[in-house]
Amino acid sequence: MKRGLVFAGGGSKGSYEAGFVKALREQNLTFDIVTGTSVGALNGCLFAQEDYEKIEQLWMTVSASDIFADIPPSVKNFNYEILVNDTNLVVDFFKNYLKEKGADIAPFRKLVKSYLDVDKLMASPIDFGLCTVRYPSLKPLFITKEQMPKNQVSDYLIASASCFPVFPICHFNGESFIDGGYYDNVPVDLALEMGATELIIIDLNTKPTHRYYADRPKMIYSISYSDLGTFMDFSRQRLNRNYILGYLTAKKVFEEYLGKKYTFETIPVQLMNNFYYIELDCERMMRRALGNNQTSPLYERYLEANHGISLKITDYYCFTLDWLGDILLWDETHVYQFEEVVSIIEQNFTLALSKNYSLLLELKELKNLSKKNLINYLINVSHTKKQNELSTQYLLTLFPKEFMIAQLVYTILKTKPLQ
């Protein structure tokens, strides 16, 4: 059995992978094979060197001036918006951009060479491979460390990350290369070709790049349910945020925490089970309302949220919490205790239980309600027993997500002793 680890490409989003690695190391897992594309190749190389502290150091200190020339030292939080809004900066930047047929990445070349330790990489028991793309044929090149001349390892790392046209085309050995992401940004196939029999995959997208690998035995396919920003946002705030999100995602992958977009330390199991059966009941009523027993639109909502991947009982609860968290503007980098969730719900929705709504407001009135007030209304209907199957079908069909949030909130309010 050989365990593999796959790092995706994504520029500055590589800080997310660094956070993921921190949580991964806490699991005390060992790996035989590591593959990566673009920035994932650099992170993967450092992992294969067993220089885990270097991964941390890189993403805690890197800035745009370590990637591009002509970024003034005073610009600590570089992103596209700063470039566009600073006339002097954009002029200097694009003078070199045109000269180099891409940005001047001399600092990046220096950075790669400073972190690369070829002797440690070659002596490591962890095999390493990366993906780059030949230019202009656009044919992929998958190459392992054993196939790389020692004096050209840094060239292959830079080739894999040469995201043309932002980065210049990488030339060496009489060949030209661009970013491996143009062919395979998440090189799972390479890891399998190298002999991996089980995999942990770190995808930097909010939906699986390779959907066909996302629900397979012996594969843990991890994505971020949070937006990680653009691949050229080197602001310290974004890098630190993505690092935390990567760490929290890995903790959820290994079931130390719960949640999808938001993170929870504990959720009573019985509460999740109860909610699952409420969801099943709502599915039945929704099908009856639509007069079609061959489809299940509510189930499809949850399946879509999970990108078509098979759902677990916990997923129904956690995705509904995500919908609620989006409305209440929860913090994606915070770990919520269950008692904290209960407190937030009580602050926002308890008054709904005492209001006297009519059984069915006019559709125009319902649509004019804010999301929060609509949920308040739906909670009130549930609490006061005004709800019957006909009204449930009507409301569930019109407002499926808000209706399920209301059911979750009402369930928590009714079962508070479960904590």
Side-chain angles (χ1 to χ4, degrees), residues 367-408:
K367 288 188 172 181
N368 285 336
L369 291 175
S370 68
K371 295 285 187 184
K372 184 175 172 181
N373 285 339
L374 177 57
I375 293 165
N376 274 322
Y377 167 74
L378 295 170
I379 295 168
N380 178 267
V381 170
S382 298
H383 174 72
T384 57
K385 307 301 181 184
K386 295 173 183 175
Q387 185 173 315
N388 55 39
E389 185 156 324
L390 182 61
S391 63
T392 297
Q393 292 171 354
Y394 173 78
L395 295 168
L396 186 54
T397 304
L398 288 174
F399 308 106
K401 288 175 67 170
E402 292 80 5
F403 191 92
M404 294 313 301
I405 294 171
Q407 299 311 301
L408 178 143

Side-chain angles (χ1 to χ4, degrees), residues 105 109 132-133 135 154-162 164 167-172 175-179:
I105 59 165
R109 296 176 186 276
T132 184
V133 171
Y135 184 85
S154 65
D155 292 322
Y156 281 107
L157 289 172
I158 292 164
S160 182
S162 292
F164 184 78
F167 281 30
I169 297 169
C170 183
H171 306 280
F172 68 98
E175 293 190 279
S176 299
F177 300 93
I178 58 174
D179 196 294

Side-chain angles (χ1 to χ4, degrees), residues 237-260:
Q237 180 182 9
R238 173 64 72 175
L239 294 175
N240 289 346
R241 177 182 180 276
N242 286 350
Y243 177 89
I244 295 169
L245 291 175
Y247 179 79
L248 295 179
T249 298
K251 297 285 275 188
K252 287 180 277 193
V253 163
F254 295 108
E255 299 182 347
E256 294 185 19
Y257 292 152
L258 294 167
K260 297 294 184 178

